[in-house]
Amino acid sequence: MSESLLSLLDTRITSALLAAFGPDVSMPTPLVLPAKDIRHGDYTCSAAMALARALGEAPLVLAEKLVQALDVADICEAPEVVKPGFVNLCMRSDWLATRVEDMLGHPTVGIEPVANPKTVVFDYSSPNVAKEMHVGHLRSTIIGDCLANVSELVGNRVERLNHLGDWGTQFGMLITHLADVHPEAIELGSSSDLERPPIGGAQSDTSPVVPGEDWHNESLAHTRWTESLSPLGNLVLFYQAAKVRFDEDEEFAERARRRVVDLQAGEPTARAAWRVLVELSRHENQEIYDLLGVQELTDRGESFYEPMLGDVVADLETKGLVAVDGGAKCVFAEGFTNKEGDPLPLIVQKADGGYNYATTDLAAIRHRFDNGADRIVYVVDAGQSLHLQMVFAVARMAGWLPDHVEATHVGFGLVLGEDGKRLRTRS
């Protein structure tokens, strides 16, 4: 496929400078830039002004000489020289039309494959179970999917991962409320054939019973799934109702806290209720993904990494990276300080023995590295920049991000809700 417009114009102007001013002319950079004002054409060249002192002539005179030697009639309208020495270029419409036709006829729309394909993991979307996918998740989804599609188009081996928020203390509240208002749903969750419904291109990497294992059972029919769980109604309203009960009913709150322990211990009915909520959320999220045309996005939720968290901390301890601070196990990466200038810790295990997002993110990096990732791209809002920088730094200290493996945060601006507060894009 032909070279880019900037490269093509750069080549033509370089030839013209050599022809007009001799082989010893010092080439300024950049030679060509997109025009800031469309009234002045598509591209502009300021080389004449950069060369005026060295060549001892006025920029306007040099610009005229440059245009006389410039051969662009096949691709541009007649070049325009304007004070104090710019050469403005406007691309020919018929030539651009031919370029577009050529691109549309090319199998990769004119994008050449990379010389050395890599295995690239894209982490994006990341909605939370029982919560509505908000505009921040949509931004992450759209940006992440575009980047993944382009990376795949140029020949990389791409894995699209959805870091689903499907684990944590909030599930004690949700599964307790589910048992109270819709106990028959738990029977469905206990069924051996419960599986995410076949409603699109997404896949699930989360176990139906034990977090960390893949699902291999046959899919449940979409119609049966919808009919069986329809009494639950709107999942967001379900979450809100559970939250009201948790805040206002101490007896309910105490039962919910006990169910968190049951869930983490693998108690069958707790796990069954959890499965129902996770699957219903996936079903609702998939409707959005289908509208956006998102395919091959694998759900690999927080629950997938839960069995790995103890090993992550143990590995960090074995490598001498863990320090205990206030009862919590922390890693102090060089260069990170708080407002007072004190070292800023990345907590990997809380004082009460629990794990947090940092532990899960480290487990995810470790798992992705172990499975051959050459590059990991996180499409997460800019508010998570410091967290990810610290996670990357600790992962490099632990050897899970060696020099040949690249970790990149693709940040985007924060999205605010009607209350003026940030809409979060991770659980």
Side-chain angles (χ1 to χ4, degrees), residues 16 23 66 77-78 102 128 145 152 215 218 229 239 246 252 286 301 318 328 361 364 376 379 389 399:
L66 172 60
E77 304 293 345
D102 291 344
N128 302 310
D145 204 55
E152 189 171 58
W215 294 23
E218 294 184 1
L229 294 182
Y239 182 96
F246 186 86
F252 174 82
Q286 188 61 45
T318 299
D361 285 335
I376 309 171
V379 185
Q389 288 177 36

Side-chain angles (χ1 to χ4, degrees), residues 175-410:
I175 64 179
T176 303
H177 186 56
L178 180 65
D180 288 349
V181 302
H182 193 30
E184 63 273 21
I186 298 178
E187 182 179 350
L188 176 63
S190 301
S191 174
S192 61
D193 66 353
L194 176 63
E195 176 60 275
R196 73 171 304 283
I199 55 177
Q203 307 166 32
S204 170
D205 249 7
T206 308
S207 166
V209 178
V210 181
E213 297 178 359
D214 292 342
W215 294 23
H216 299 294
N217 297 328
E218 294 184 1
S219 294
L220 186 68
H222 186 188
T223 53
R224 178 186 171 193
W225 168 263
T226 305
E227 293 171 358
S228 298
L229 294 182
S230 59
L232 268 176
N234 186 293
L235 195 54
V236 175
L237 295 179
F238 175 87
Y239 182 96
Q240 293 171 349
K243 185 66 166 65
V244 169
R245 292 186 68 190
F246 186 86
D247 292 340
E248 298 179 357
D249 185 343
E250 183 54 38
E251 185 273 334
F252 174 82
E254 181 56 34
R255 285 195 291 132
R257 295 185 189 101
R258 290 197 299 269
R259 291 302 272 166
V260 173
V261 178
D262 293 338
L263 176 63
Q264 294 175 344
E267 193 276 323
T269 59
R271 284 288 170 88
W274 170 76
R275 293 178 65 199
V276 168
L277 294 167
V278 171
E279 288 308 304
L280 187 55
S281 285
R282 284 202 181 101
H283 170 77
E284 294 189 357
N285 291 340
Q286 188 61 45
E287 293 180 356
I288 304 298
Y289 294 141
D290 288 345
L291 287 172
L292 295 174
V294 174
Q295 298 184 354
E296 299 180 3
L297 178 58
T298 298
D299 291 333
R300 188 169 293 166
E302 294 170 348
S303 63
F304 180 88
Y305 303 103
E306 193 272 339
M308 310 175 193
L309 304 185
D311 289 341
V312 165
V313 176
D315 198 0
L316 292 171
E317 289 180 311
T318 299
K319 293 174 178 176
L321 300 176
V322 173
V324 178
D325 186 3
K329 293 182 179 180
C330 310
V331 180
F332 290 88
E334 185 177 354
F336 295 96
T337 58
N338 59 22
K339 294 180 180 178
E340 289 74 33
D342 299 322
L344 188 63
L346 185 72
I347 299 174
V348 296
Q349 188 170 13
K350 296 180 288 185
D352 62 5
Y355 303 108
N356 56 17
Y357 298 142
T359 328
T360 302
D361 285 335
L362 287 169
I365 287 180
R366 186 171 179 245
H367 182 267
R368 293 163 187 179
F369 166 64
D370 288 343
N371 284 273
D374 298 308
R375 187 182 184 194
I376 309 171
V377 180
Y378 292 78
V379 185
V380 186
D381 71 62
Q384 301 242 8
S385 178
L386 177 60
H387 167 77
L388 288 173
Q389 288 177 36
M390 295 181 70
V391 167
F392 295 162
V394 171
R396 292 203 182 278
M397 292 167 65
W400 306 327
L401 277 180
D403 291 342
H404 70 276
V405 178
E406 181 182 357
T408 304
H409 173 208
V410 177

